[in-house]
Amino acid sequence: MSEVILHITAGKGPQECRWVVAQLARAFAREAKGIGLECELLDGAEDLSPSILLRIVGDGASPFAAQRIGTNLWIGNSPFRPTHKRRNWFVGVALAPEPETISDLREDDIEYQAMRASGPGGQHVNKTDSAVRATHRPTGLVATAQEQRSQHANRKLARLKLAIMLDERRGQAKDDARRSQWQAHQELERGNAVRAYTGSKFVLKA
């Protein structure tokens, strides 16, 4: 049984794109369930989160993810600015890196601190010190995790979020000499969507 973690992000897009991130995660979960795959939201439960981590488990998880990696488009009127003329909203989908493959991320360099969870996340929130703050000492990057019910699971999730941060940092450094390509990556690739959804029910466009 295979497992993949998708990173859905609004990039530098406006609040509409953050809204699309949440709706797209729900659409992916619905599609995954429809073909017998398990889907779990690992991070990004708060309102208008700029990014979401979605865990897909089951035979066929990798092909399912491959069909969705890249720029995804939602076509519809802004839920926040009904008179806005723009109808095309783009978000990015990528595979989250495996922490073990990030050479800059050594366990000895991470400082973990337990803390009390807050905000959305279930009945366990605010009742235990299950949330975790992870600090990468060499860079000062900080990641927090509270979505999971155990401190161990949140520790693992915080480490994954640090891996994503370091991977993005490394990508930015590599592409400094090719600034136009990096800018395109940051803003998401317009007009070249791998999937397009339309309407309030997020129906996949043929």
Side-chain angles (χ1 to χ4, degrees):
M1 186 174 291
S2 62
E3 170 186 319
V4 296
I5 297 176
L6 289 177
H7 182 213
I8 308 173
T9 175
K12 292 184 177 180
Q15 62 179 346
E16 285 87 355
C17 291
R18 294 187 176 203
W19 180 83
V20 172
V21 163
Q23 303 306 314
L24 191 62
R26 293 189 182 99
F28 285 0
R30 183 176 66 246
E31 292 165 358
K33 185 178 181 181
I35 58 173
L37 296 173
E38 295 178 26
C39 187
E40 178 189 6
L41 181 68
L42 293 180
D43 183 70
E46 66 269 21
D47 291 340
L48 298 182
S49 175
S51 67
I52 280 177
L53 291 173
L54 203 61
R55 180 173 174 259
I56 311 292
V57 181
D59 296 332
S62 293
F64 177 89
Q67 292 172 355
R68 290 155 178 79
I69 291 172
T71 300
N72 282 243
L73 164 67
W74 177 63
I75 304 168
N77 294 325
S78 166
F80 309 107
R81 297 176 287 174
T83 59
H84 198 288
K85 292 182 179 179
R86 178 175 168 183
R87 297 193 76 247
N88 291 342
W89 311 93
F90 298 87
V91 300
V93 179
L95 279 180
E98 297 179 9
E100 295 75 17
T101 65
I102 306 298
S103 58
D104 300 338
L105 188 63
R106 299 189 319 123
E107 189 65 24
D108 291 346
D109 289 334
I110 304 174
E111 179 182 345
Y112 296 100
Q113 179 183 359
M115 61 185 208
R116 182 144 298 192
S118 62
Q123 292 182 350
H124 68 293
V125 168
N126 287 326
K127 293 183 180 179
T128 64
D129 292 334
S130 60
V132 172
R133 178 187 291 114
T135 303
H136 186 243
R137 295 190 192 94
T139 60
L141 292 172
V142 176
T144 60
Q146 66 175 29
E147 301 292 339
Q148 305 303 301
R149 292 188 176 273
S150 73
Q151 189 176 120
H152 173 77
N154 278 322
R155 183 180 173 117
K156 185 177 179 181
L157 177 57
R159 184 167 181 257
L160 172 61
K161 292 168 81 170
L162 281 179
I164 291 171
M165 291 178 185
L166 286 168
D167 191 51
E168 290 177 343
R169 239 172 104 117
R170 184 168 57 184
Q172 184 174 8
K174 283 183 178 180
D175 287 346
D176 274 347
R178 298 175 295 166
R179 194 168 186 81
S180 60
Q181 286 95 327
W182 174 246
Q183 190 67 26
H185 170 73
Q186 282 293 84
E187 294 178 355
L188 301 175
E189 192 176 355
R190 305 294 193 262
N192 192 25
V194 296
R195 290 170 80 82
Y197 294 80
T198 184
S200 60
K201 294 185 178 180
F202 265 66
V203 175
L204 184 63
K205 189 177 180 182

